[in-house]
Amino acid sequence: MNTKTAIISIEDLTDTAVAELTEAFENSPGVTEVDFSLERKVAVIEFDPAVTHIDGLMRVVLGKGYKIL
């Protein structure tokens, strides 16, 4: 499997947001790994581009009510 990495900046990234977004990303098809940096306010997502695209990953963030920077 060939994966890509997406780095998404998220406004107001908190521990609560990380928990919510981790669950949402883990339930998203094609996502193989997700990590967060509260200090940098980013999500780092490994995904299979044959299954999902960056647009889908951004929709996960927006769908949970968070803003992308």
Side-chain angles (χ1 to χ4, degrees):
M1 171 176 38
N2 188 18
T3 62
K4 288 190 175 186
T5 303
I7 300 172
I8 302 174
S9 296
I10 303 169
E11 185 176 25
D12 299 326
L13 189 62
T14 63
D15 288 330
T16 302
V18 167
E20 278 185 45
L21 291 170
T22 296
E23 182 179 347
F25 281 124
E26 287 176 348
N27 290 322
S28 297
V31 173
T32 58
E33 188 175 333
V34 63
D35 194 21
F36 294 88
S37 170
L38 288 174
E39 181 181 315
R40 293 180 26 215
K41 306 280 188 209
V42 297
V44 181
I45 305 120
E46 294 287 326
F47 66 100
D48 181 349
V51 178
T52 192
H53 301 280
I54 187 71
D55 295 351
L57 301 174
M58 292 190 317
R59 279 194 291 277
V60 169
V61 175
L62 296 173
K64 286 294 180 181
Y66 298 100
K67 293 183 181 178
I68 296 172
L69 299 175

